[in-house]
């Protein structure tokens, strides 16, 4: 991941300087009976214990609708619905006059999906994402940025996303009195629609358009945007455009953009059809095969959730995920893999997911026309013949596995359904059907429902087995392997949320094994000592170059030519071969185990 600043520096500095931020635990009380303490901020996380109403606890911070708390020495998360903060200045007898009263805040968010950044820059790490209506405390102004605190989390928010309590509310413009409806007249040819006066000069013409950090499909992705989103094009770089979307600078592939000055093709009016006499019925001719679209593609995806890989391997990085019906260009075959291009993204797709345009389509057998049946003469109505028994539908059961950790199987397809079991990554199951966003499954003979995002078909990729030796490097590798299947979350470094590539490295070496570590991938190459490529041992840190000597991705070597890493949003934490694409990028190896634990790095 490319990160220009260290989030931890800001966090440490602001925690000391902000008097309004939550620096220590705040006492609170549980208001519900048998309230669950969970391992993470969500209903999908493991239940660590249940506590009765009136239980006292310490609130440490807030994550969305959940509080990070400590109850009788047990740390975890509790829903904010069941917590009453014991604020000393709370006055229940006095009703609040407005939302800003007595909450220590002085502003409110006016948009959804507002990012709290670690630094006043769109390139900075993101601490959290918050929605319209959430309260915050504005500390000071830094140009177009505000230094703020949200739920005790210090950081920076872009100024236009915030309304301070003292700002005057805009006076709504009264609706004009409608004029009398004139007699209808022929409509004039409409003038071209003027571009919005928002500083943008172009619009996206496709869905799922990636905003890249560099003009390359191998670059990190800043965001994904859909058709109709406005943007500012600054300059062209060959097939790429340097742009800004919602203030985020980056690069977009040229064919996904229409500039405001581009001419719009005038549609050719369809001729008025002349009614033809109704002909006598004739047998329908055999339809001619449908011509392939003239867009340069030569194949189509047959399934949903098809991965476009960087290499012909399921262990490879994932460039994107595409659905049934998407067109693509197949360049050549590589065994069970196809070298393809989808929306201009080159990569590899598993062969079974693709149908080429020149594949023969089976011709359906014509249904014979029924012969004319003479009208029956009037006869007594025979007794009814019992209808034949319905033929049972063929079984649709399919083998699969759980692709997350601490995943619940519930008794009903709802978050309110009773939890029947908690399952780890790789748990085998049988898929029996789907209901909305849920998959009906059988696990160990018991039937239930699992949220579909956590179910995959087929067999789980095997996790490598490492020798159970006592050396620290091997134990580091074994520890990191526990998180295979956990989600990729940019800027995250805990199992309760997920990991980015450097977050998994930081959590393993620093949080667990106590080594002083930098948080950003490129800076982590200053930790430990250099190791030659032919001297790699389990537990060594690997840093992969993204160009110009910059390390943009990291992982942990586990032995046998493999490493574990948080690869991307499509795969989460996986094991990959140290070969092919990764060798071609070039990498630096560092040994952490056995070095000075107080070496260079940042400790929080």
């Amino acid at each position: 991941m490319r990160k220009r600043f260290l989030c931890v520096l800001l966090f440490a500095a602001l925690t000391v300087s902000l008097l309004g931020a939550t620096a220590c635990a705040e006492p609170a009380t549980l208001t519900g009976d048998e309230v669950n303490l969970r391992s993470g901020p969500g209903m999908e996380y493991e239940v660590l214990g249940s506590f009765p109403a009136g239980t006292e606890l310490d609130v440490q911070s807030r994550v969305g609708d959940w509080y990070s708390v400590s109850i009788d020495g047990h740390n975890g998360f509790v829903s904010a619905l069941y917590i009453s903060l014991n604020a000393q200045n709370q006055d229940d007898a006095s009703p609040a006059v407005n939302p800003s009263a007595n909450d220590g805040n002085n502003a409110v968010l006016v948009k959804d999906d507002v990012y709290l950044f670690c630094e006043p820059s769109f390139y900075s790490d993101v601490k959290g994402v918050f929605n319209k209506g959430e309260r915050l405390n504005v500390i000071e102004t830094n140009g177009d940025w505000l230094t703020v605190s949200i739920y005790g989390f210090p950081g920076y928010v872009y100024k236009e996303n915030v309304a301070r309590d003292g700002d005057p509310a805009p006076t709504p413009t009264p609706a004009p009195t409608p004029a009398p409806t004139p007699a209808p007249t022929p409509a004039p040819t409409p003038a071209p629609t003027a571009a919005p006066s928002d500083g943008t000069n172009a619009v996206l013409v496709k869905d799922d358009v990636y905003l890249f950090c560099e003009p390359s499909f191998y670059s990190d992705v800043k965001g994904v945007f859909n058709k109709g989103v406005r943007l500012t094009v600054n300059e062209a770089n060959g097939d790429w455009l340097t742009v800004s979307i919602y203030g985020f600078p980056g690069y977009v592939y040229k064919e996904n953009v229409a500039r405001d000055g581009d001419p719009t093709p005038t549609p050719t009016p369809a001729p008025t059809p002349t009614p033809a006499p109704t002909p006598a019925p004739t047998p329908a001719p055999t339809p001619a095969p449908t011509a392939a679209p003239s867009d340069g593609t030569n194949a189509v995806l047959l399934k949903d959730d098809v991965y476009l890989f960087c290499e012909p391997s399921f262990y490879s990085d994932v460039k994107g995920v595409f659905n049934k019906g998407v067109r693509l260009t197949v360049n050549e075959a590589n065994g069970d893999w196809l070298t393809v291009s989808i929306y201009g993204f080159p990569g590899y797709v598993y062969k079974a997911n693709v149908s080429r345009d020149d594949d023969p389509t089976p011709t359906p057998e014509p249904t014979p026309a029924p012969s004319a049946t003479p009208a029956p003469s009037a006869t007594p109505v025979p007794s009814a013949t019992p209808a034949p028994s319905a033929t049972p539908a063929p079984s649709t059961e399919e083998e699969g596995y759980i692709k997350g950790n601490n995943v619940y199987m519930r008794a009903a397809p709802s978050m309110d359904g009773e939890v029947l079991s908690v399952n780890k990554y790789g748990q085998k199951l049988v898929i029996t059907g789907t209901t909305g966003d849920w998959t009906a499954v059988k696990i160990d003979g018991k039937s239930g429902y699992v949220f579909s995002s956590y179910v995959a078909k087929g067999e789980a990729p095997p996790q490598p087995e490492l020798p159970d030796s006592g050396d620290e490097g091997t134990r580091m590798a074994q520890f990191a392997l526990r998180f295979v299947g956990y989600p990729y979350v940019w800027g995250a470094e805990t199992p309760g949320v997920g990991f980015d590539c450097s977050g998994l490295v930081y959590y393993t070496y620093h949080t667990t094994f106590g080594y002083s570590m930098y948080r950003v991938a490129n800076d982590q190459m200053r930790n430990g000592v250099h190791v030659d490529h032919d001297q790699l041992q389990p537990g060594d840190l690997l840093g992969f170059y993204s160009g110009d000597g910059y390390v943009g991705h990291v992982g942990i070597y586990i032995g046998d030519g493999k490493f574990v890493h948080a690869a991307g949003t499509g795969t989460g934490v996986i094991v990959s071969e140290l070969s092919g694409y990764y060798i071609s990028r070039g990498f630096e190896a560092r040994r952490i185990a056995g070095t000075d634990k107080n070496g260079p790095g940042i400790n929080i």
Side-chain angles (χ1 to χ4, degrees):
M1 295 287 299
R2 277 170 204 258
K3 304 181 178 75
R4 293 190 175 182
F5 305 102
L6 288 174
C7 174
V8 291
L9 282 174
L10 173 70
F11 186 85
L14 286 179
T15 301
V16 174
S17 62
L18 295 180
L19 297 178
T22 304
C24 55
E26 184 175 355
T29 305
L30 292 182
T31 59
D33 200 18
E34 296 302 316
V35 177
N36 289 331
L37 177 70
R38 296 183 179 269
S39 62
M43 295 292 291
E44 70 272 20
Y45 290 94
E46 180 182 1
V47 176
L48 304 177
S50 297
F51 298 88
T55 299
E56 295 183 351
L57 65 151
D58 290 326
V59 172
Q60 296 157 349
S61 62
R62 181 162 179 164
V63 181
D65 294 329
W66 295 77
Y67 282 109
S68 172
V69 304
S70 176
I71 306 178
D72 296 335
H74 301 282
N75 295 320
F77 293 83
V78 171
S79 171
L81 297 174
Y82 305 114
I83 289 182
S84 173
L85 297 176
N86 302 336
Q88 295 180 355
N89 61 352
Q90 184 175 344
D91 185 0
D92 294 333
S94 301
V97 177
N98 59 61
S100 65
N102 300 324
D103 62 357
N105 297 311
N106 58 13
V108 65
L109 297 180
V110 294
K111 297 182 181 180
D112 284 330
D113 299 327
V114 175
Y115 288 88
L116 178 67
F117 291 92
C118 293
E119 298 287 336
S121 165
F122 290 113
Y123 287 105
S124 167
D125 287 347
V126 175
K127 284 190 173 182
V129 185
F130 303 92
N131 289 324
K132 182 177 179 179
E134 297 198 57
R135 302 283 301 166
L136 67 156
N137 188 33
V138 176
I139 313 297
E140 63 177 354
T141 302
N142 294 270
D144 290 331
W145 295 85
L146 300 174
T147 306
V148 305
S149 173
I150 304 180
Y151 301 131
F153 291 88
Y156 294 87
V157 169
Y158 199 58
K159 188 166 62 175
E160 70 178 26
N161 297 321
V162 176
R164 302 202 196 194
D165 293 337
D167 293 343
T171 305
T173 304
T177 305
T181 305
T185 57
T189 304
T193 304
S197 57
D198 57 1
T200 61
N201 59 10
V203 66
L204 297 181
V205 295
K206 298 182 181 179
D207 284 331
D208 299 327
V209 176
Y210 288 86
L211 178 67
F212 291 93
C213 294
E214 299 290 335
S216 165
F217 290 115
Y218 290 99
S219 166
D220 287 343
V221 175
K222 287 190 173 182
V224 185
F225 303 92
N226 288 327
K227 182 177 179 179
V229 169
R230 300 285 304 172
L231 66 155
T232 301
V233 176
N234 299 314
E235 63 178 352
N237 294 270
D239 290 331
W240 295 85
L241 300 174
T242 306
V243 304
S244 174
I245 303 179
Y246 298 139
F248 290 85
Y251 297 85
V252 168
Y253 197 58
K254 187 168 63 176
E255 68 178 26
N256 298 321
V257 177
R259 302 202 200 192
D260 294 336
D262 293 344
T264 304
T266 304
T268 304
T272 304
T274 303
T278 304
T282 57
T286 303
T290 304
S294 57
D295 57 1
T297 61
N298 59 10
V300 66
L301 295 182
L302 296 173
K303 301 179 182 179
D304 285 332
D305 299 326
V306 175
Y307 288 134
L308 178 67
F309 291 93
C310 293
E311 297 290 328
S313 165
F314 289 114
Y315 290 106
S316 166
D317 284 349
V318 174
K319 288 190 173 182
V321 184
F322 303 92
N323 289 328
K324 181 177 179 179
V326 169
R327 300 286 304 172
L328 66 155
T329 301
V330 175
N331 299 315
E332 63 178 351
N334 294 269
D336 290 331
W337 295 84
L338 299 174
T339 306
V340 304
S341 173
I342 303 180
Y343 298 140
F345 291 83
Y348 296 86
V349 168
Y350 196 59
K351 187 168 63 176
N353 298 322
V354 176
S355 172
R356 301 202 199 191
D357 294 336
D358 54 5
D359 290 344
T361 303
T363 305
E365 296 196 11
T367 304
S371 57
T373 304
S377 57
T379 56
V381 178
S383 57
T385 303
S389 301
T391 304
S395 172
T396 58
E397 293 187 350
E398 190 170 1
E399 292 186 353
Y401 63 95
I402 295 290
K403 61 175 184 179
N405 279 286
N406 298 325
V407 176
Y408 289 165
M409 179 174 73
R410 297 181 179 271
S414 164
M415 293 297 288
D416 298 327
E418 178 188 358
V419 176
L420 302 178
S421 63
V422 182
N423 303 279
K424 300 294 185 181
Y425 176 85
Q427 169 67 51
K428 293 184 178 180
L429 52 83
V430 176
I431 299 171
T432 59
T434 57
T435 302
D437 293 330
W438 296 79
T439 299
V441 302
K442 289 181 181 178
I443 298 178
D444 296 333
K446 185 181 293 186
S447 297
Y449 297 86
V450 173
F451 200 66
S452 297
S453 298
Y454 300 114
V455 177
K457 297 178 181 179
E459 293 187 3
Q463 296 188 29
E465 295 184 1
L466 293 177
D468 187 17
S469 62
D471 68 274
E472 189 177 39
T474 298
R475 287 188 287 114
M476 288 174 169
Q478 289 173 329
F479 178 80
L481 279 170
R482 296 181 185 180
F483 303 109
V484 170
Y486 276 65
Y488 180 97
V489 179
W490 185 47
E493 58 188 46
T494 61
V497 179
F499 301 97
D500 63 13
C501 65
S502 56
L504 177 63
V505 165
Y506 184 86
Y507 186 76
T508 299
Y509 294 131
H510 171 72
T511 307
T512 305
F513 287 87
Y515 284 84
S516 178
M517 290 291 297
Y518 288 103
R519 177 58 179 84
V520 179
N522 189 60
D523 293 336
Q524 288 173 344
M525 295 301 99
R526 296 158 58 190
N527 292 119
V529 297
H530 170 79
V531 178
D532 291 337
H533 292 181
D534 59 354
Q535 299 295 317
L536 287 176
Q537 295 179 7
D540 287 344
L541 170 62
L542 305 179
F544 299 94
Y545 293 109
S546 296
D548 297 329
Y550 184 89
V551 169
H553 187 67
V554 288
I556 298 174
Y557 187 69
I558 61 173
D560 196 27
K562 297 181 176 68
F563 68 101
V564 60
H565 60 137
T569 54
T571 58
V573 180
I574 60 172
V575 172
S576 295
E577 299 276 353
L578 186 57
S579 62
Y581 166 71
Y582 292 104
I583 294 294
S584 68
R585 285 182 65 166
F587 67 93
E588 164 68 4
R590 312 288 294 181
R591 181 154 299 151
I592 306 298
T595 62
D596 181 9
K597 287 195 172 184
N598 296 317
I602 303 291
N603 291 315
I604 300 179

